Amino acid sequence: DVGVMRFIHRNFPKLPIHASTQTTITMAEGANLLKSMGVTRLVTARELSFKEIKNISDNTDMEIETFVHGALCYCYSGQCLMSSMIGGRSGNRGRCAQPCRMPYQFFSEGRQMSSENEKYLLSPKDINTVALIPDLIEAGVSSFKIEGRMKSPEYAAGGSYIYRKYVDIYINEGKEG
């Protein structure tokens, strides 16, 4: 909410403000507009390529955070109304009920088109970008976002450990290492 951002920036100028992926920032111009409102870290839109992330990074001095591991969102950068309509919680406010992960059946003209084995028709696969760590860092990503919502503490800890390990290897040994 840009009104809240403005209020926080005016009344608490030293408080870091992070802009969620729901701001759907895809270009440096948008990032710099948010920067003028006091935003210090941008969580990029999930759909961006390395080139697009690098363009934002090269044209702003904001911290760049990017989703690297966990559940992909079915909707464009988390702009989901399905969660609030089916699950009663807004994905646009960080409370996604993950309705895309529920079982569904596909019907057309009253006839079931999906098989009984195809229950998760909308469920995207989790992302795992460990192999892309050098590319992410070289694109200007300064913070990796590892999904932990609706995951066990062990899942979040294990994911964090693996990314930390391979970031350190890249930093110490380079891309070839």
Side-chain angles (χ1 to χ4, degrees):
D1 183 298
V2 292
V4 173
M5 277 188 227
R6 184 176 176 167
F7 176 84
I8 291 170
H9 185 54
R10 279 188 178 168
N11 293 288
F12 307 95
K14 294 182 181 182
L15 183 67
I17 302 172
H18 296 186
S20 166
T21 190
Q22 280 85 7
T23 59
T24 319
I25 298 299
T26 60
M27 301 182 303
E29 293 82 1
N32 286 320
L33 176 65
L34 291 181
K35 183 180 177 194
S36 72
M37 295 179 206
V39 173
T40 56
R41 177 179 289 185
L42 168 68
V43 181
T44 60
R46 297 171 181 169
E47 300 76 26
L48 298 185
S49 66
F50 293 129
K51 182 178 178 182
E52 292 166 318
I53 293 170
K54 183 150 180 52
N55 183 53
I56 293 172
S57 177
D58 287 348
N59 290 289
T60 186
D61 60 354
M62 294 175 69
E63 295 174 353
I64 304 295
E65 184 170 337
T66 298
F67 279 92
V68 296
H69 194 89
L72 282 174
C73 185
Y74 185 76
C75 296
Y76 184 80
S77 280
Q79 303 293 322
C80 180
L81 295 176
M82 196 162 88
S83 177
S84 57
M85 296 190 69
I86 293 175
R89 301 192 322 244
S90 175
N92 300 334
R93 291 182 172 80
R95 299 188 63 229
C96 180
Q98 295 190 332
C100 57
R101 300 259 172 162
M102 295 170 62
Y104 295 96
Q105 295 177 340
F106 175 56
F107 287 85
S108 178
E109 298 178 2
R111 187 170 155 242
Q112 184 173 338
M113 305 301 287
S114 57
S115 74
E116 290 301 318
N117 295 334
E118 297 177 280
K119 293 185 180 184
Y120 298 93
L121 301 175
L122 300 179
S123 185
K125 295 189 183 289
D126 283 4
I127 58 171
N128 175 344
T129 64
V130 171
L132 303 174
I133 287 173
D135 300 311
L136 290 160
I137 293 172
E138 290 170 10
V141 175
S142 56
S143 178
F144 290 178
K145 192 165 195 69
I146 298 170
E147 187 229 1
R149 184 183 321 128
M150 299 178 77
K151 303 287 188 186
S152 70
E154 295 81 8
Y155 177 94
S160 299
Y161 170 79
I162 292 296
Y163 279 87
R164 175 80 268 163
K165 175 182 176 179
Y166 287 102
V167 164
D168 289 344
I169 289 172
Y170 170 73
I171 290 169
N172 293 325
E173 298 180 25
K175 197 171 192 173
E176 290 71 36

